[in-house]
Amino acid sequence: MSYRVVQWATGSVGRAALRAIIDHPELELVGCWVHSPDKRGRDVGEILGRAPVGVRATDSLDEILALPADAVVYAPLLPRTKEVAALLRSGKNVVTPVGWFYPDDEQAEPVRQACLAGGTTLHGTGIDPGGVTEVFPLMLSAMSAAVTFVRGEEFSDIRTYGAPDVVRHIMRFGATPAEAAAGPMRQLLDGGFRQSVRMILDTLGFGGNPEIRTVHETAVATAPIESPIGTIEPGQVAGQRFHWEAVAGGETVVRIGVNWLMGQQHLDPPWTLGAEGERFEIEIDGDPGSFVTIRGWQSEPGDPPEAENPGIAATAAHCVNSVPYVCAAEPGIRTSVELPMVAGRAHPRFSRGS
């Protein structure tokens, strides 16, 4: 069965999602929403630097709502509940990496009503939040009895992240520690990561109303650091850590987070990525415990600046690969613990009938 898919937004995740949709044997790209007027009317293949695909981009919500489509991969920088609700009411399922991973009642109600009105499903997923912070820890927990602690954590050199405007203006690298603390990043991350923590707590059955706390730390440059966003001067932020911890009975039972550094030199405190380098880690304490290191989702040294960040590609792929499962699900908000196991698909050259 083929599902007709619209891609919403063509930033770094959106472009990766477009490629994944085009290469997916069960999906057909039928529409694309863009934010920039200069992309309006252009063939999606041209936007990707590929051959034409016969689908032209639009910046009109009404045109997207009128399209006969089964699903939308919704990947703007910031989510807008009214947009998502309109898409759901129009009969289109929505998969997104920017929210609704495990929403509480207040967060869920506006879109839940839209799902019921449109007979559609909403699913939030990605890499972090998403795979590393909920899907894979919960999958690994199946191998343990009596789980006492769960951890999912990213360790990245942020110089390889291909979105310099986000790094400077949203993440606030290159700002003062006070400016970074007051910036939008904590609030943006809080929603998704707290939902991941609650999904783990509820699924594994940690009782006692655990407290969830956010920890944000910064490291500053002690000497000029050259970076893709320009020179970071001494005293400016060159490293950040965000962690979300759930505490039950005085013990930390869940810890998820990110460690982002502008290299590993000239930092105060003198943070490093450690001997293991860039990676994602998942840890389960139980009987028995598990410890998994994931590599391949970060750029390699020597990759050209224009190369796609593998973490962005993984985020997009997780969303795109979820589309058939979401389209087949019952209407409503469906989390990762409610859907079947999501799997990728073979490269087109290996697919059946090729």
Side-chain angles (χ1 to χ4, degrees):
M1 180 177 181
S2 180
Y3 297 98
R4 299 162 298 180
V5 182
V6 172
Q7 174 57 41
W8 186 283
T10 56
S12 53
V13 173
R15 290 192 301 274
L18 280 169
R19 288 187 283 270
I21 292 166
I22 292 168
D23 289 340
H24 196 292
E26 297 168 35
L27 306 182
E28 176 191 359
L29 181 70
V30 297
C32 180
W33 183 91
V34 292
H35 179 267
S36 303
D38 63 329
K39 294 180 181 178
R40 181 178 56 215
R42 294 171 60 186
D43 188 283
V44 168
E46 179 187 352
I47 294 173
L48 293 177
R50 287 186 171 193
V53 299
V55 175
R56 294 196 174 276
T58 179
D59 59 359
S60 168
L61 171 61
D62 290 338
E63 288 184 19
I64 295 296
L65 295 177
L67 278 175
D70 299 297
V72 177
V73 177
Y74 181 80
L77 179 60
L78 300 174
R80 291 184 172 89
T81 300
K82 288 184 178 179
E83 286 176 346
V84 173
L87 293 168
L88 293 166
R89 287 194 185 92
S90 74
K92 299 171 182 63
N93 302 288
V94 174
V95 182
T96 179
V98 293
W100 298 284
F101 304 94
Y102 192 72
D104 60 28
D105 289 342
E106 182 178 353
Q107 296 162 332
E109 191 57 25
V111 288
R112 181 184 290 121
Q113 293 302 320
C115 288
L116 296 177
T120 50
T121 302
L122 170 63
H123 176 60
T125 194
I127 181 176
D128 190 10
V132 174
T133 57
E134 51 197 67
V135 176
F136 302 134
L138 288 172
M139 188 182 302
L140 279 174
S141 74
M143 312 307 293
S144 300
V147 174
T148 58
F149 176 69
V150 176
R151 180 174 66 89
E153 199 161 2
E154 173 188 351
F155 299 83
S156 291
D157 186 332
I158 208 66
R159 294 176 299 179
T160 63
Y161 187 71
D165 287 342
V166 173
V167 173
R168 178 170 286 283
H169 301 298
I170 304 298
M171 295 181 177
R172 296 286 175 90
F173 279 87
T176 67
E179 289 169 339
M185 202 64 201
R186 173 171 174 167
Q187 183 177 358
L188 291 174
L189 295 177
D190 244 9
F193 280 91
R194 282 177 172 265
Q195 289 181 40
S196 292
V197 171
R198 288 195 296 104
M199 186 187 299
I200 293 173
L201 292 171
D202 290 350
T203 304
L204 297 185
F206 283 101
N209 193 27
E211 173 198 359
I212 302 175
R213 60 193 182 195
T214 305
V215 180
H216 177 214
E217 303 170 284
T218 58
V220 299
T222 59
I225 297 174
E226 298 303 321
S227 81
I229 64 170
T231 302
I232 297 179
E233 300 292 349
Q236 295 178 339
V237 171
Q240 296 192 64
R241 292 173 172 171
F242 289 90
H243 289 95
W244 291 264
E245 300 174 339
V247 179
E251 297 183 40
T252 300
V253 294
V254 177
R255 187 174 193 264
I256 61 175
V258 298
N259 302 266
W260 295 330
L261 308 184
M262 280 290 183
Q264 302 184 76
Q265 296 181 332
H266 311 307
L267 297 179
D268 180 25
W271 295 344
T272 72
L273 298 173
E276 294 291 314
E278 291 189 276
R279 66 204 183 275
F280 291 81
E281 290 182 350
I282 300 168
E283 180 180 6
I284 309 292
D285 286 352
D287 182 19
S290 299
F291 190 102
V292 172
T293 300
I294 300 175
R295 302 190 187 281
W297 293 347
Q298 284 125 337
S299 298
E300 294 291 333
D303 283 352
E306 67 275 10
E308 181 178 67
N309 184 286
I312 289 173
T315 299
H318 200 180
C319 291
V320 171
N321 287 328
S322 299
V323 167
Y325 304 89
V326 173
C327 288
E330 290 295 315
I333 301 170
R334 301 298 166 204
T335 69
S336 294
V337 293
E338 296 171 288
L339 291 180
M341 183 186 73
V342 172
R345 296 294 185 270
H347 189 280
R349 73 174 184 269
F350 297 119
S351 61
R352 294 185 181 93
S354 61

